[in-house]
């Protein structure tokens, strides 16, 4: 393991919470104070346990705009195209299940079905990846349902396990 990767304070794209953004901003402000007294970038990186690439970027921004240029700009990513009220309605509609919206062949929400539902309800189009991100932000996780045959007979399965499977296992 190299010293560089061992000593880095945070990974790329980490710290998505508000507390994480505050901590990152504090580190950048410490770096700015060091820039003001001409501490070399490599020493700033080592002392703050960040990459030298980040320090060079911060120093460039600091020189152009001072401390305010290093202030947090808030959470990253795109804003949702759905309002909070629309997200609540979408959650309620998803809870009704696919059959309530015309998909009767099975009871699974797919990304394509959710994208279609969003289009029908709110006249907003989402890509499948966008739907995946939206559902993740809403707290939904991918689920793989158990597929059970309609013809499944639990009694026959129990008998088979007791006789045939017991013989096979020895």
């Amino acid at each position: 393991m190299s010293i560089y990767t061992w000593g880095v304070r945070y990974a790329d794209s980490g710290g998505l919470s508000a507390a994480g953004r505050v901590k990152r901003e504090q580190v950048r402000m410490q770096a700015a104070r060091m820039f003001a007294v001409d501490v070399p970038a490599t020493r700033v990186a080592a002392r703050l346990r960040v990459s030298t690439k980040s320090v060079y970027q911060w120093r460039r921004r600091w020189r152009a705009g001072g401390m305010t240029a290093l202030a947090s700009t808030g959470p990253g990513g795109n804003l949702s195209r759905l309002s909070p009220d629309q997200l609540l309605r979408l959650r309620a509609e998803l809870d009704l299940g696919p059959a309530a919206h015309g998909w009767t062949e099975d009871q699974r929400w797919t990304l394509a079905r959710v994208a279609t539902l969003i289009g029908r309800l709110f006249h907003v189009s989402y890509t499948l990846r966008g739907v995946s991100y939206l559902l993740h932000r809403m707290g939904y996780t991918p689920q793989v349902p158990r597929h059970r045959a309609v013809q499944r007979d639990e009694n026959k399965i129990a008998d088979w396990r007791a006789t045939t499977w017991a013989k096979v296992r020895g």
Side-chain angles (χ1 to χ4, degrees):
M1 176 181 288
S2 73
I3 293 172
Y4 172 78
T5 56
W6 177 80
V8 174
R9 182 182 295 254
Y10 45 78
D12 291 339
S13 74
L16 299 176
S17 68
R21 285 191 301 276
V22 168
K23 285 181 183 178
R24 281 188 181 184
E25 184 176 21
Q26 289 171 349
V27 171
R28 289 192 301 271
M29 295 304 156
Q30 286 178 329
R33 288 189 289 276
M34 291 181 198
F35 299 152
V37 293
D38 290 328
V39 176
T42 53
R43 188 168 293 150
V44 172
R47 193 170 297 161
L48 298 178
R49 296 188 348 233
V50 296
S51 71
T52 53
K53 179 181 178 185
S54 293
V55 173
Y56 285 123
Q57 290 173 344
W58 297 343
R59 189 171 63 184
R60 211 172 16 257
R61 286 174 35 201
W62 175 76
R63 283 180 178 160
M67 297 282 269
T68 56
L70 296 177
S72 176
T73 58
N78 294 332
L79 297 175
S80 176
R81 286 188 256 161
L82 299 179
S83 70
D85 290 338
Q86 289 174 322
L87 291 174
L88 286 174
R89 181 169 177 213
L90 178 61
R91 182 181 298 280
E93 296 295 333
L94 290 173
D95 288 343
L96 292 175
H101 299 284
W103 291 288
T104 56
E105 54 273 5
D106 60 21
Q107 285 297 299
R108 291 182 293 163
W109 279 115
T110 63
L111 295 177
R113 287 178 180 181
V114 175
T116 301
L117 179 66
I118 291 170
R120 286 179 188 168
L121 295 174
F122 310 115
H123 305 289
V124 175
S125 65
Y126 268 87
T127 63
L128 297 183
R129 178 176 268 179
V131 170
S132 176
Y133 289 145
L134 176 68
L135 292 175
H136 182 73
R137 280 195 307 265
M138 292 174 66
Y140 288 94
T141 58
Q143 302 292 313
V144 180
R146 278 195 192 188
H147 296 285
R148 300 282 181 157
V150 176
Q151 307 87 347
R152 186 178 174 96
D153 185 350
E154 294 295 333
N155 293 332
K156 286 184 181 179
I157 293 170
D159 289 342
W160 181 86
R161 283 188 179 145
T163 57
T164 309
W165 184 242
K167 289 178 190 174
V168 170
R169 288 186 71 193

